[in-house]
Amino acid sequence: MGRNRRLKKRLWRLRSNPLRRHDDIVEAWIVLIMWAVVAVGGALAGLVTSHAADEVFAAQRTERHAVQAVLLTDTPPASSTPGGVRDLIKAKVRWTTADGPRRTGSALVDTGQKAGSTVVVWLDSAGNFTIEPPSSKEATLESAVLGLTAALAFTGLAFGTGAVARYRLDRRRIDSWGTEWQLVGPSWGRKTS
């Protein structure tokens, strides 16, 4: 008997209630749909974004390759930066392609190096300079952050849409109350003024 009573208590909103309005039912469905969209859509948006970013990073790792190059000019000394961030500067380098000819160009290299030292530069499949692709750990972390951001953005959009719908329902209820008050108010007796 206690179990049946608890079930009735949990489902009290589904009972018929003389004070329940049509707008209350609509609002309950809006909230239910909003939470379902947040749960399913947010997870789906996060997973799709994370997977797409992971594929892009994997393509970058296969497309880009490191090449040993010789630095042609001195680079200025490294400035002290907090957190161990690398200082990079554009400098002229010369490298040999896989086909054999030597090429010269400007690439990003670490600061504080002398001319003639060997540096590593990154090239894409077309032979153009590019940045080093993220490692698999960095790519995993960045994919997770992008997926989480997409999920949160989708969740915010769903909550915002639900809030706008509920705001419109509230405006409709307030207007309805105002109309009813204009009809009922004068019949309550004399006015004070």
Side-chain angles (χ1 to χ4, degrees):
M1 182 104 138
R3 183 176 176 188
N4 192 19
R5 186 175 282 170
R6 278 183 281 171
L7 182 63
K8 280 185 178 180
K9 193 173 190 178
R10 287 184 187 186
L11 299 176
W12 69 271
R13 292 179 190 242
L14 300 177
R15 297 184 313 205
S16 90
N17 184 340
L19 299 177
R20 183 181 66 189
R21 299 164 294 196
H22 176 71
D23 288 349
D24 297 332
I25 296 169
V26 171
E27 184 177 16
W29 277 106
I30 287 172
V31 171
L32 179 67
I33 290 169
M34 181 185 64
W35 278 106
V37 166
V38 164
V40 174
L44 193 61
L47 288 173
V48 167
T49 302
S50 177
H51 182 68
D54 206 27
E55 284 181 353
V56 167
F57 295 138
Q60 286 178 353
R61 282 193 300 274
T62 58
E63 176 186 286
R64 298 176 184 177
H65 59 280
V67 174
Q68 297 286 331
V70 176
L71 191 60
L72 299 177
T73 58
D74 290 343
T75 59
S79 63
S80 60
T81 56
V85 177
R86 289 174 36 184
D87 277 343
L88 298 175
I89 192 165
K90 225 170 199 186
K92 277 210 171 267
V93 295
R94 181 178 57 233
W95 74 99
T96 305
T97 64
D99 303 346
R102 288 186 174 203
R103 298 228 174 141
T104 305
S106 294
L108 288 175
V109 296
D110 289 327
T111 56
Q113 297 187 37
K114 300 287 182 195
S117 59
T118 303
V119 293
V120 175
V121 294
W122 287 86
L123 301 173
D124 61 13
S125 59
N128 300 321
F129 286 114
T130 186
I131 59 171
E132 180 180 357
S135 68
S136 60
K137 285 183 181 180
E138 291 170 339
T140 300
L141 179 64
E142 195 165 343
S143 296
V145 168
L146 290 171
L148 180 62
T149 303
L152 290 175
F154 187 85
T155 299
L157 181 66
F159 274 126
T161 304
V164 167
R166 291 178 69 199
Y167 172 77
R168 294 194 63 190
L169 275 175
D170 285 343
R171 294 301 316 158
R172 194 164 98 180
R173 282 187 278 229
I174 289 171
D175 291 343
S176 173
W177 289 338
T179 303
E180 288 179 25
W181 182 251
Q182 286 178 352
L183 294 173
V184 175
S187 65
W188 279 22
R190 66 183 189 120
K191 294 182 181 178
T192 58
S193 57

